[in-house]
Amino acid sequence: MSGTIELLQEALAHAKAENRAALIAYLPAGFPTVDGGIEAVKAAFDGGADIVEVGLPHSDPVLDGPVIQTADDIALKNGVRIADVLRTVREAHAATGKPVLVMTYWNPVDRYGVERFAAELAEAGGAGCILPDLPVEESEGWRKAAEQHGLATVFVVAPSSRDERLARITAAGSGFVYAASLMGVTGTRASVGEQAGELVRRTRATTELPVCVGLGVSNAVQAAEVAAFADGVIVGSAFVKRILDAEGDEAAGLAAVRALAAELAEGVRKRG
Amino acid sequence: MPEKPEFFLPDPEGLTPSAEGYFGAFGGKFIPEALVAAVDEVAAEYEKAKADPAFAAELNELMANYTGRPSALTEVPRFAAEAGGARIFLKREDLNHTGSHKINNVLGQALLTRRMGKTRVIAETGAGQHGVATATACALFGLECTIYMGEVDTKRQALNVARMRILGAEVVSVTSGSRTLKDAINEAFRDWVANVDRTHYLFGTVAGPHPFPALVRDFHRVIGVEARRQLLERTGRLPDAAVACVGGGSNAMGLFHAFLPDAGVRLVGCEPAGHGVETGEHAATLTAGEPGILHGSRSYVLQDDEGQITEPYSISAGLDYPGVGPEHAYLKDTGRAEYRAVTDDAAMQALRLLSRTEGIIPAIESAHALAGALELGRELGPEALLLVNLSGRGDKDMDTAARYFGLYDSEEAGK
Ligand SMILES: Cc1ncc(COP(=O)(O)O)c(C=O)c1O
């Protein structure tokens, strides 16, 4: 079975046709449990997310702030495995028909086997992968496997990326481009970085791919602000925090995820 | 000795990694896009500095009159009597200012920091020696300084925490993961991503993304270059083996590098076996790890079957790390260097033995190399000549040693 990159492209095109930004939610697999994580992804879709990124929990999440670190720790202590991540993708996609990506640090994929991971992610109905610590220079092997299996390779660009690098990165990527709104790790912020708009503009100058903005967005006002200049709004820590705040009450956590997704879905339709 | 001694000795043999930072299959630059510009800036600035005589002159001056180079080479016959009668010489990096080899790299990178116009320095530390050296250089150059240190290590190396604070550095106790060196590095990377504009990450060992493995090695090459010359002067021959402890691998690479072309010199790295490699409680990365990516480069790492990094253990905070520099991985795979694992107990016995036979108290890290040399001497016999890098002094470890050997008067002694 081939991956569902087309579904991802369609979801982004659909949002564009509606003259709005897409809403992309991030949730780690295995958090708070494997089944609970699957339900959380479904709840995010149910509330209005267009796309979900499923995180592969890692022992050393150097690009994540305390909220996602805590979730990863909980998932790993519960013994989450790559098979559970793939099951999360499979069940969430099967239940909703929506595009589901995996976001992972590179070492787990490297260790699991690039071809094996790509094949199994595609088989689970995944739409692609975001690999935040795999620079474009090291990505050729992965990109070949991803292309062969119908998976998108989403690269991250940062405010510090120079124009010539942006061009090189966006030429290698597919699906969309993940523009980091600020220099920093994941986590909610009081305001979205001022650098985001400029980065989106510079990125657009190099590519036809949709440009989605992540890092720091946590509420409808910020989502609307970002939606004014980006093709998609990516929200992670705010979702994870809702589940953490529910302190083990799974139903309350799911309700909070659904409510946040609904709030953000309204935000991305307001466009500033 | 030449009138103006040279201590900055970037590799003249063309042994640098490839342009992409690879030593064979190991190395590279696995970093988030947000750090690419900063890491490239470090590489570019280092290339410029290498070509600038003023940089070498300033570093040479600091090495001579601040660090106190060249460091002594000391023969230790009473200690060597326990090593099958082999002759053993110690390269005395413990006598450097701040008490370890770490200052060599720190001064070089501190000069680079100033050249790049950055005003703030961050660093990780395990044993606290790299942190102390970094805090020292920041005091000297008037740079703001933040040191990340795992909570386990702030406790077992409390003396060095106090030293860093006296020197004006902020010490952040890291409570994530295993609360040791690996986690301190994670936290330093998180800081760097957020503050990269004005901050240099003064990486403390020959690991991390390119150019750090080569750059840090170059600043430490002086160890082996000096020792090789000193030993030739004193004995008229090269050693049978050059021995060093391996955490991230900087003191070992500094010692080994000058001997790479000397095929007759065995290069022996001593990794921490903790409670024994077979117990799983160790940090013997090259002995028991497998290739993977940690902290920006491909090398050997301690990991599970799905690429999660496993928690290391060693009595030595400076060696308690599940990764190792990529050039060591390359030297292991090519067979040019060999790596053996030394238990906590063997290292502690060697620490006490050197103290009692020679009046030199080594760091627990360095004691792993001493224990390895004792083994090697017994294997090679009385004709053998061994060179051991004494990477640091043991003051910081006296609490651990007192508990280990029951040296406190009160009942608080651990063992
Ligand atoms: C005295 C001493 N030796 C060795 C090490 C290990 O580092 P490396 O393997 O980079 O030399 C340390 C690190 O803290 C140290 O303090």
Side-chain angles (χ1 to χ4, degrees):
Chain A
M1 186 174 145
S2 181
T4 58
I5 182 171
E6 285 90 3
L7 213 49
L8 174 66
Q9 290 160 336
E10 277 161 27
L12 289 158
H14 177 72
K16 189 180 175 132
E18 290 188 351
N19 190 30
R20 65 172 176 94
L23 174 62
I24 305 172
Y26 167 93
L27 287 156
F31 169 74
T33 60
V34 177
D35 288 334
I38 294 168
E39 291 311 311
V41 176
K42 290 191 209 163
F45 278 130
D46 196 34
D50 299 290
I51 298 160
V52 171
E53 306 168 6
V54 170
L56 194 158
H58 191 43
S59 54
D60 294 81
V62 287
L63 284 168
D64 287 300
V67 171
I68 292 175
Q69 283 178 45
T70 303
D72 277 13
D73 279 352
I74 290 170
L76 289 168
K77 282 210 181 81
N78 289 339
V80 71
R81 302 275 296 170
I82 288 176
D84 299 315
V85 177
L86 294 169
R87 178 159 78 84
T88 302
V89 172
R90 177 180 295 109
E91 294 191 13
H93 169 66
T96 63
K98 299 267 170 77
V100 180
L101 298 147
V102 165
M103 184 154 187
T104 177
Y105 291 91
W106 180 240
N107 195 49
V109 178
D110 187 80
R111 178 85 169 142
Y112 198 73
V114 170
E115 168 58 30
R116 178 181 173 209
F117 188 81
E120 293 183 13
L121 177 56
E123 195 274 324
C129 237
I130 308 171
L131 301 157
D133 64 346
L134 183 71
V136 65
E137 291 82 0
E138 301 281 358
S139 69
E140 199 184 328
W142 162 262
R143 282 187 283 124
K144 279 198 182 133
E147 203 176 320
Q148 198 194 327
H149 291 285
L151 297 169
T153 299
V154 176
F155 283 106
V156 180
V157 296
S160 60
S161 305
R162 300 201 180 91
D163 289 344
E164 60 278 12
R165 263 194 79 78
L166 284 179
R168 187 163 171 207
I169 293 167
T170 58
S174 53
F176 64 93
V177 183
Y178 186 133
S181 68
L182 46 77
M183 297 295 287
V185 296
T186 59
T188 57
R189 304 285 197 298
S191 66
V192 179
E194 301 157 9
Q195 301 157 301
E198 173 64 11
L199 177 60
V200 170
R201 190 192 61 71
R202 291 198 296 123
T203 307
R204 282 228 177 92
T206 70
T207 182
E208 298 288 311
L209 288 173
V211 182
C212 304
V213 170
L215 289 196
V217 183
S218 63
N219 59 42
V221 174
Q222 291 172 333
E225 205 183 301
V226 171
F229 58 81
D231 300 305
V233 179
I234 306 167
V235 179
S237 295
F239 280 110
V240 174
K241 196 160 178 315
R242 290 294 194 286
I243 299 175
L244 284 173
D245 288 348
E247 291 182 354
D249 181 340
E250 208 164 282
L254 293 177
V257 167
R258 195 174 292 111
L260 177 62
E263 182 196 325
L264 293 164
E266 259 182 59
V268 298
R269 285 167 172 80
K270 282 206 183 105
R271 295 227 127 153
Chain B
M1 197 183 302
E3 233 176 89
K4 279 239 184 247
E6 290 191 3
F7 302 113
F8 176 49
L9 306 155
D11 83 290
E13 339 269 356
L15 298 165
T16 33
S18 71
E20 295 78 30
Y22 276 91
F23 305 89
F26 301 104
K29 201 164 60 180
F30 294 83
I31 49 173
E33 177 58 24
L35 289 178
V36 168
V39 168
D40 286 353
E41 184 190 7
V42 174
E45 194 60 48
Y46 180 52
E47 287 309 310
K48 277 193 253 167
K50 273 199 281 193
D52 179 0
F55 178 81
E58 190 169 6
L59 188 51
N60 286 333
E61 158 72 20
L62 283 166
M63 293 267 220
N65 299 323
Y66 192 71
T67 304
R69 300 212 73 91
S71 64
L73 187 75
T74 304
E75 182 164 14
V76 286
R78 278 168 45 75
F79 176 79
E82 300 290 322
R87 285 185 83 181
I88 299 181
F89 286 78
L90 305 183
K91 180 59 175 162
R92 301 292 304 280
E93 293 298 299
D94 62 317
L95 295 178
N96 293 338
H97 179 44
T98 70
S100 81
H101 69 291
K102 297 285 182 186
I103 191 80
N104 300 327
N105 164 50
V106 164
L107 289 174
Q109 286 199 52
L111 290 180
L112 286 181
T113 305
R114 212 178 52 187
R115 287 176 70 103
M116 291 185 290
K118 301 209 164 172
T119 55
R120 178 172 179 263
V121 164
I122 57 171
E124 82 293 350
T125 197
Q129 288 302 120
H130 178 60
V132 166
T134 302
T136 297
C138 288
L140 180 65
F141 290 120
L143 298 165
E144 202 184 312
C145 181
T146 300
I147 304 293
Y148 291 93
M149 188 170 189
E151 189 190 35
V152 169
D153 297 337
T154 59
K155 294 198 172 121
R156 59 179 160 173
Q157 309 278 223
L159 173 73
N160 276 344
V161 175
R163 291 172 79 198
M164 289 183 265
R165 290 191 172 139
I166 279 285
L167 289 159
E170 178 196 8
V171 181
V172 179
S173 174
V174 175
T175 56
S176 55
S178 53
R179 305 177 184 219
T180 55
L181 182 54
K182 162 179 86 79
D183 312 285
I185 296 176
N186 290 345
E187 213 51 44
F189 271 115
R190 292 182 185 118
D191 180 318
W192 205 24
V193 174
N195 301 295
V196 67
D197 275 353
R198 62 187 193 97
T199 302
H200 176 58
Y201 181 5
L202 207 160
F203 201 71
T205 189
V206 290
H210 177 68
F212 287 107
L215 177 156
V216 175
R217 174 202 70 199
D218 282 359
F219 290 131
H220 283 303
R221 279 189 88 253
V222 62
I223 300 171
V225 172
E226 278 179 13
R228 190 176 183 281
R229 187 180 62 226
Q230 289 166 322
L231 198 63
L232 279 173
E233 277 167 16
R234 296 268 284 282
T235 69
R237 74 171 184 105
L238 291 172
D240 296 297
V243 187
C245 67
V246 179
S250 67
N251 87 87
M253 195 52 67
L255 182 73
F256 290 175
H257 210 258
F259 295 99
L260 283 181
D262 302 316
V265 180
R266 282 169 67 178
L267 305 176
V268 183
C270 299
E271 298 196 296
H275 293 137
V277 173
E278 70 291 348
T279 67
E281 293 177 11
H282 64 83
T285 310
L286 289 161
T287 305
E290 288 183 67
I293 290 137
L294 175 65
H295 296 145
S297 51
R298 181 185 298 282
S299 184
Y300 280 73
V301 292
L302 297 176
Q303 60 183 334
D304 71 11
D305 63 330
E306 293 201 340
Q308 307 290 354
I309 308 305
T310 51
E311 290 197 2
Y313 164 77
S314 168
I315 193 171
S316 151
L319 306 183
D320 195 353
Y321 181 57
V324 67
E327 197 169 3
H328 283 292
Y330 173 69
L331 293 179
K332 172 191 158 78
D333 276 17
T334 58
R336 179 62 191 94
E338 57 196 280
Y339 298 86
R340 49 176 77 200
V342 170
T343 62
D344 283 1
D345 289 337
M348 294 309 287
Q349 295 303 327
L351 179 147
R352 185 167 61 180
L353 182 66
L354 187 73
S355 303
R356 297 207 166 163
T357 55
E358 302 285 349
I360 298 170
I361 304 177
I364 298 178
E365 289 77 21
S366 320
H368 284 71
L370 293 165
L374 291 174
E375 271 179 29
L376 207 58
R378 289 175 202 136
E379 287 162 24
L380 294 177
E383 299 305 314
L385 176 62
L386 303 180
L387 170 64
V388 181
N389 199 11
L390 199 72
S391 56
R393 68 183 186 218
D395 308 36
K396 68 186 177 63
D397 295 316
M398 286 306 95
D399 184 57
T400 302
R403 288 168 196 278
Y404 184 89
F405 291 113
L407 306 180
Y408 284 127
D409 288 334
S410 69
E411 280 309 296
E412 70 175 306
K415 200 164 170 191

